[in-house]
Amino acid sequence: MRAIAQKLERNEHEASTPGTHPFAVAGIVVAWLALGLALDDGGGIWRQCAIGLVTWLLLIVLVRREPRVTQIQVATLVVLATMLEYAASPLLGLYTYRLHNVPAFVPPGHGLVYLAAVLVGTSAAITRRPLVPVLVLAVATVWAVGGLILPVHPDTLGAVLYLSFAAFILRGRYPGVYAAAFVLTAALELYGTRLGTWEWATHDPTGVLTAANPPSGIPGGYCWLDFWALALAPYVYRLLVRARGALPFRPAPAAPS
């Protein structure tokens, strides 16, 4: 198991090979998500399904060009994000989408954001500049502190989530990935809530923590998804290898004479 994990960790850095253009992929992701959210504005369920279909196709096209480890991580994250979305929104009411559902474009959208964060965060432009994650953390700090002291409704949920983001930046193994995830998800949250695609509740489900719309540290929540995608990928890979080895060998049928 350790050998598989080490191999996957080595392969993870292949996500930014010369054949891959991380910032071009990130630009495509940002452009489509911005357009998709704008197209969803005021539309019905079938428009959401159409946007979701295009989002899935884009995710498949982009991820097919990446190493197997990145593909496994993206697939793992999409599963985790889907479960989290249905638990946090329809079940707990932490935030509510415009049509009181989980739009079809949200699960693949999570995959696109993660893919862009991994490619940008592991690119030479970021890994060779260790101050970049620190600068992103500084921006996050200003946002979190401002959310606590400026509004009448203090953003305590955002402050708690900010602490987890700070831990990922300062102690995590891939600070560049978490910094890229912060930039992407912060922009997405600000844009989506401004359009009214979703809206955060004023309190967490327990009623203890208050929240802004969006909470200042919400990118820290996305970083937890990234963390678990990275952590679970070796196990998913092992299961896939075992499942493939368990399949019986079937020779190809003979050509008709």
Side-chain angles (χ1 to χ4, degrees):
M1 179 62 199
R2 181 176 298 177
I4 292 176
Q6 292 173 346
K7 181 177 185 297
L8 284 174
E9 288 174 0
R10 290 195 301 269
N11 289 345
E12 180 180 307
H13 298 285
E14 296 176 7
S16 293
T17 57
T20 298
H21 304 283
F23 290 94
V25 171
I28 293 171
V29 168
V30 170
W32 169 247
L33 293 180
L35 177 60
L37 289 176
L39 291 174
D40 172 66
D41 189 24
I45 189 69
W46 292 111
R47 186 186 298 182
Q48 288 190 347
C49 290
I51 297 170
L53 177 60
V54 176
T55 308
W56 275 112
L57 291 175
L58 179 61
L59 177 61
I60 292 170
V61 168
L62 293 179
V63 83
R64 279 174 61 88
R65 303 175 62 252
E66 304 306 325
R68 181 60 56 85
V69 60
T70 305
Q71 295 174 359
I72 292 173
Q73 290 169 359
V74 170
T76 303
L77 181 127
V78 169
V79 173
L80 294 175
T82 302
M83 293 189 296
L84 178 63
E85 285 286 346
Y86 278 95
S89 184
L91 182 61
L92 298 176
L94 188 59
Y95 50 88
T96 304
Y97 286 100
R98 183 173 56 84
L99 298 182
H100 298 274
N101 63 343
V102 176
F105 53 79
V106 168
H110 277 287
L112 287 175
V113 170
Y114 175 80
L115 177 62
V118 166
L119 295 183
V120 171
T122 58
S123 66
I126 301 300
T127 57
R128 293 176 182 175
R129 296 173 175 83
L131 283 179
V132 171
V134 177
L135 292 175
V136 173
L137 178 59
V139 173
T141 303
V142 173
W143 188 6
V145 172
L148 280 176
I149 65 176
L150 294 180
V152 178
H153 185 74
D155 185 13
T156 54
L157 175 62
V160 171
L161 292 171
Y162 159 79
L163 294 177
S164 66
F165 173 70
F168 281 120
I169 291 293
L170 298 175
R171 302 298 298 272
R173 298 181 63 181
Y174 306 103
V177 173
Y178 299 124
F182 179 92
V183 174
L184 290 168
T185 56
L188 183 63
E189 283 285 343
L190 291 169
Y191 182 61
T193 52
R194 180 67 179 269
L195 287 177
T197 308
W198 64 88
E199 182 178 3
W200 285 81
T202 56
H203 293 79
D204 77 317
T206 67
V208 174
L209 300 176
T210 54
N213 184 40
S216 60
I218 187 56
Y222 285 90
C223 287
W224 277 107
L225 286 174
D226 296 354
F227 168 81
W228 283 111
L230 292 166
L232 293 177
Y235 298 94
V236 175
Y237 182 80
R238 184 175 64 172
L239 290 174
L240 291 175
V241 170
R242 285 184 174 180
R244 186 175 182 180
L247 292 176
F249 173 74
R250 295 182 181 179
S257 56

